[in-house]
Amino acid sequence: KMGIPTYFRFLMEKYNGIVVETPKRHCDYFFLDFNSILYKVFYDNERNKLNEEFFLYNICQEVKRLINDEICPKKLVYFSLDGPCPRAKMVQQRSRRYKSIQIQNLLEKDNEWVPSNNICPGTNFMYKFKMYLLKQMEKKVFHCPEVILSDSSYPGEGEHKILPLIRKLKEKDHNGNIVIMSPDNDLISLGILTGKSNIYILRYIEYITAELLKKENYNKNSLIYIDLDILRTEFQKE
């Protein structure tokens, strides 16, 4: 099993001040672990199950909102999608997805659109999504000088495609402000281990997060930033 369950909640309870509403200065580089956005948008609207075109449109609308209205990156946007995984994990993924199809057949829901069996490398949907996103990039709907896509045909998990680029930025642009959008708790530790300063992890506010922050008024699109510089300082003190 991958990931670090409840790690973010543990850090929030232990260290005050690691969550900030906005970065100290504007964002230079925005890295998006795209798979999480696909699932988030899918579950936001029941109609996405019935119409792939509607689903694709909604994905790009949410990404446009994030880039053009919320983050406003000045230098680079990097879209990272999960590609083919290593052999050991592929065996586990295949067994899970085959089981999901068998359960659907038993429940007589074999025509229902299931995200976990479509939002993965090698599917027709991911090819459609790649082509749709490339068209949006050609139209320059995302307001940033440089927009790069690492699609699902390129091997590696989304967050692990991002890290080598951040390590290079440590030498190339030491003071550059980086925002990484991902709900994956691994990235909190991996981001600190890059040794690069000025990194923020961006996440949607969930019920538990809002409760810990004592935020009563929030919606499904509310955002928070985790300041990795503050967290690194707290680790060093300890």
Side-chain angles (χ1 to χ4, degrees):
K1 186 174 178 178
M2 303 296 286
I4 314 172
T6 70
Y7 184 50
F8 176 47
R9 180 174 183 172
F10 166 77
L11 293 174
M12 282 188 67
E13 289 174 338
K14 187 166 184 179
Y15 306 110
N16 293 323
I18 64 167
V19 172
V20 295
E21 291 191 6
T22 55
K24 294 172 187 172
R25 52 196 176 84
H26 67 75
C27 169
D28 295 305
Y29 305 93
F30 180 44
F31 294 90
L32 180 58
D33 184 4
F34 220 126
N35 282 59
S36 61
I37 298 288
L38 299 182
Y39 281 95
K40 190 260 182 197
V41 172
F42 179 80
Y43 287 113
D44 275 354
N45 193 322
E46 284 292 316
R47 283 180 60 197
N48 289 320
K49 294 181 181 179
L50 308 174
N51 189 319
E52 280 190 353
E53 294 301 319
F54 181 71
F55 183 27
L56 293 171
Y57 172 80
N58 285 338
I59 294 164
C60 282
Q61 288 301 110
E62 176 61 8
V63 175
K64 272 173 63 179
R65 182 186 78 85
L66 289 169
I67 293 171
N68 300 347
D69 302 330
E70 299 284 350
I71 317 300
C72 305
K74 305 297 180 187
K75 297 180 180 179
L76 171 72
V77 169
Y78 186 84
F79 296 136
S80 182
L81 283 155
D82 286 352
C85 59
R87 174 70 180 174
K89 189 173 181 183
M90 195 177 290
V91 171
Q92 184 260 347
Q93 284 188 347
R94 280 178 176 173
S95 66
R96 189 175 70 231
R97 285 169 184 148
Y98 290 150
K99 185 178 179 182
S100 170
I101 291 168
Q102 289 173 333
I103 290 170
Q104 279 183 284
N105 291 337
L106 285 170
L107 297 173
E108 297 182 348
K109 293 182 177 180
D110 48 308
N111 292 322
E112 188 173 320
W113 203 93
V114 178
S116 61
N117 290 343
N118 287 279
I119 303 174
C120 55
T123 61
N124 290 333
F125 172 76
M126 291 308 284
Y127 177 75
K128 279 185 188 177
F129 171 61
K130 178 182 80 170
M131 300 311 295
Y132 188 89
L133 188 59
L134 286 171
K135 282 182 183 177
Q136 298 302 307
M137 289 164 64
E138 284 174 13
K139 292 177 184 176
K140 300 189 184 298
V141 299
F142 308 117
H143 301 164
C144 187
E146 188 174 7
V147 182
I148 296 173
L149 168 64
S150 177
D151 66 47
S152 60
S153 62
Y154 186 80
E157 291 189 50
E159 65 268 27
H160 292 290
K161 294 180 184 182
I162 289 168
L163 290 165
L165 298 172
I166 292 174
R167 292 189 189 100
K168 286 180 183 177
L169 285 174
K170 184 182 175 184
E171 307 299 328
K172 183 181 172 183
D173 188 356
H174 182 71
N175 294 319
N177 227 30
I178 295 172
V179 173
I180 308 169
M181 185 162 200
S182 175
D184 196 322
N185 286 329
D186 293 16
L187 266 175
I188 298 173
S189 295
L190 293 170
I192 289 172
L193 290 170
T194 61
K196 172 80 177 71
S197 57
N198 303 314
I199 298 180
Y200 297 84
I201 305 291
L202 180 65
R203 298 168 70 125
Y204 290 104
I205 289 187
E206 298 170 352
Y207 174 73
I208 293 171
T209 316
E211 194 177 54
L212 289 169
L213 291 171
K214 297 179 180 176
K215 280 185 175 288
E216 295 179 3
N217 299 320
Y218 75 97
N219 59 51
K220 62 188 178 183
N221 292 321
S222 297
L223 301 166
I224 53 167
Y225 295 84
I226 307 162
D227 189 329
L228 294 192
D229 286 349
I230 295 174
L231 187 56
R232 184 187 288 112
T233 302
E234 293 293 339
F235 283 170
Q236 288 169 345
K237 283 179 187 175
E238 194 167 332

